[in-house]
Amino acid sequence: MTKLGTETTPLRVAIIGAGPSAFYVLDALSKSGLNVEIDAFDRLPTPFGLLRGGVAPDHQRMKSVGKAYEKMAVSNPKFRFIGNVKIGKDISVAELKNHYDALVFACGAETDRKLGIPGEDLPGSHTATEFVGWYNGHPDYRDRVFNLNGKTAVVIGQGNVAIDVTRIMAKTDAELASSDIAAHAQAALKDSQIQDLYLVGRRGPVQSAFTELEIKEMGELSEAEPIVNPADFDLSEIDEAELQLETNHKARKNMGVLREFATHEPKGKKKRVHIQFYSSPKEITGNGKVEKIIFEKTKLVGAPGAQQAVGTGETIEIPCDIVLRSVGYRGIEIEGVPFEAKKGIFPNDEGRLKEGETPLYGMYAVGWIKRGPSGVLGSNKPCSTATVKTLLEDLDKITPAPHRDSSALIEKIKNKAIQTVSFEDWLEIDKQEIARGQAVGKPREKFVTAEALIAASKTVSKE
Ligand code: NAP
């Protein structure tokens, strides 16, 4: 049998999706010592996935890891980025298999979990994905309109995404000026009339899913202040036990910050961030648009570390103008790939996809489509490394692809009048975005449509 990864027969790998997980796959394969040809496809004309389109624009320090990804790309001459190509639409998975020995799905979790409550789809009720995509200049969400003319916004969920969207709405224009927020969102937020922001969790402070750094920032805003109810910190014995669990250092740190907030008298700042616990969304109501959200108060049941919220029957109402639902993400299906609908992931063992219990040698997953939407950016490194380990252990079991280069595939893409974007093209986009940002005192001013990104990638400054 042909040995893959040798001088004469390189291992050919296609990565589907070019976000952080994909770059950790690239890194692990580059360090494998084998001869590997790697093409990373992305449906967008830009690489870096959630690093560009998800990480909050005011968290620039986190974005600096992009430089490491860039180094991984440019230091491997056998790596290509092929942007603006959607696998499953422009090119099928079956076609890819004809050209690559191994496919690694790094396509993330592209959609949101649903709440399943009445009024969820009323105008004025949006997913966090839409709002985050909008302020981060994601081409899919650039044209979304959010009503920031009212006084009250409600964010459902208490994860890091929920706290990101709340903070972005709570910040002043001056506080956002040093971020790379998209210009259209910056302008809209500058005119925002929102004064009361509710960040609402169905469980208690011990179970909040945000991290200490993120919650701390709420106490450091120039024109907004956190409001908490001190009664929420009278913990039950089970909560106290949960707080002491060895693995629960995040909750201990969060509690420290939240309890500190509870000791402050309100300073009368222009905006208030109400951090509200034990409230499960029941219904969003309004006459043709969001006007009110009804929550059922909850209590927790279960053992320490596994407590769940159950309704008490008591309801509370918050009149509001906009609702952002931030209750987690879900992966979506790609034709030709097994999908576990309940979890929204591609079923796998150690990263190797499986159909029922049958292992699919040559098909792998990394990141959120492998393990679900959890963890921070850095969590993707061990995740991708583990999948690459599985892939390399499988080499003898993988059937080599019949076509040993991608020229026919690239030709096919071109015949569909699709303009692909290479990594070199991306570096040109990057250069121009940074220059546009410098002109207005920002680290970057993004191009926010596919057309503008592609046009920028093919421009004169390269000549
Ligand atoms: P998440 O951390 O899973 O938080 C989801 C939140 O939604 C939880 O508070 C959860 O409450 C709540 N929720 C879920 N279903 C609900 C329902 N039916 N009704 C009411 N509330 C519900 O998800 P995320 O905020 O989308 O973040 C995704 C991942 O990205 C996380 O791993 C996060 O850490 C990461 N991320 C990190 C950063 C950063 O490092 N700064 C920034 C953004 C995202 P329960 O706990 O009760 O289920």
Side-chain angles (χ1 to χ4, degrees), residues 280 282 296-299 308-314:
S280 178
K282 280 283 132 207
E296 182 175 13
K297 292 301 289 175
T298 65
K299 62 179 182 186
Q308 295 300 321
V310 295
T312 60
E314 182 194 346

Side-chain angles (χ1 to χ4, degrees), residues 135-397:
Y135 64 57
N136 272 331
H138 190 301
D140 288 0
Y141 305 104
R142 185 256 167 277
D143 292 325
R144 295 298 155 97
V145 177
F146 299 93
N147 174 19
L148 303 172
N149 296 322
K151 295 262 176 284
T152 306
V154 173
V155 178
I156 306 176
Q158 286 184 333
N160 279 330
V161 174
I163 213 160
D164 279 351
V165 303
T166 307
R167 186 184 66 257
I168 293 294
M169 285 192 285
K171 278 196 164 178
T172 61
D173 190 50
E175 282 171 317
L176 291 173
S178 58
S179 77
D180 68 351
I181 189 166
H184 57 260
Q186 192 177 2
L189 286 161
K190 189 175 179 189
D191 292 337
S192 167
Q193 300 299 309
I194 303 283
Q195 290 182 354
D196 284 286
L197 292 134
Y198 287 82
L199 177 64
V200 188
R202 61 181 169 181
R203 296 193 288 163
V206 175
Q207 294 79 27
S208 52
F210 44 67
T211 39
E212 184 202 13
L213 219 61
E214 279 68 24
I215 187 64
K216 235 180 183 167
E217 280 182 280
M218 283 299 175
E220 296 163 356
L221 301 177
S222 66
E223 286 189 13
E225 60 186 329
I227 308 282
V228 293
N229 177 2
D232 286 341
F233 307 109
D234 297 337
L235 301 184
S236 69
E237 270 178 30
I238 299 176
D239 262 346
E240 290 291 0
E242 180 162 330
L243 208 50
Q244 296 316 318
L245 292 175
E246 176 134 6
T247 51
N248 222 355
H249 36 85
K250 181 172 98 175
R252 287 192 288 277
K253 287 179 174 172
N254 283 350
M255 281 300 286
V257 179
L258 288 163
R259 280 193 162 126
E260 160 84 23
F261 288 168
T263 64
H264 293 173
E265 281 299 314
K267 296 189 178 87
K269 289 191 180 179
K270 197 169 149 194
K271 294 183 186 176
R272 291 158 294 277
V273 178
H274 307 266
I275 305 170
Q276 183 171 316
F277 300 98
Y278 306 111
S279 307
S280 178
K282 280 283 132 207
E283 187 175 0
I284 302 172
T285 64
N287 193 1
K289 64 176 174 54
V290 166
E291 289 174 358
K292 185 166 77 181
I293 177 159
I294 303 166
F295 290 96
E296 182 175 13
K297 292 301 289 175
T298 65
K299 62 179 182 186
L300 302 187
V301 296
Q307 297 190 81
Q308 295 300 321
V310 295
T312 60
E314 182 194 346
T315 57
I316 51 164
E317 299 181 355
I318 303 178
C320 59
D321 307 285
I322 182 169
V323 171
L324 296 172
R325 312 183 312 267
S326 183
V327 294
Y329 294 97
R330 269 180 68 75
I332 56 175
E333 233 174 319
I334 297 183
E335 198 185 325
V337 187
F339 186 64
E340 197 173 331
K342 204 166 159 218
K343 293 186 182 160
I345 59 165
F346 292 172
N348 66 89
D349 277 329
E350 310 282 327
R352 182 195 308 105
L353 299 195
K354 56 181 181 178
E355 183 99 67
E357 283 314 309
T358 309
L360 299 178
Y361 297 108
M363 290 177 83
Y364 304 87
V366 290
W368 282 2
I369 200 66
K370 169 186 172 186
R371 60 176 203 270
S374 65
V376 293
L377 274 187
S379 320
N380 293 305
K381 186 174 181 174
C383 173
S384 292
T385 306
T387 292
V388 168
K389 183 168 176 279
T390 304
L391 191 168
L392 297 179
E393 283 167 4
D394 285 354
L395 281 191
D396 291 343
K397 301 192 182 92

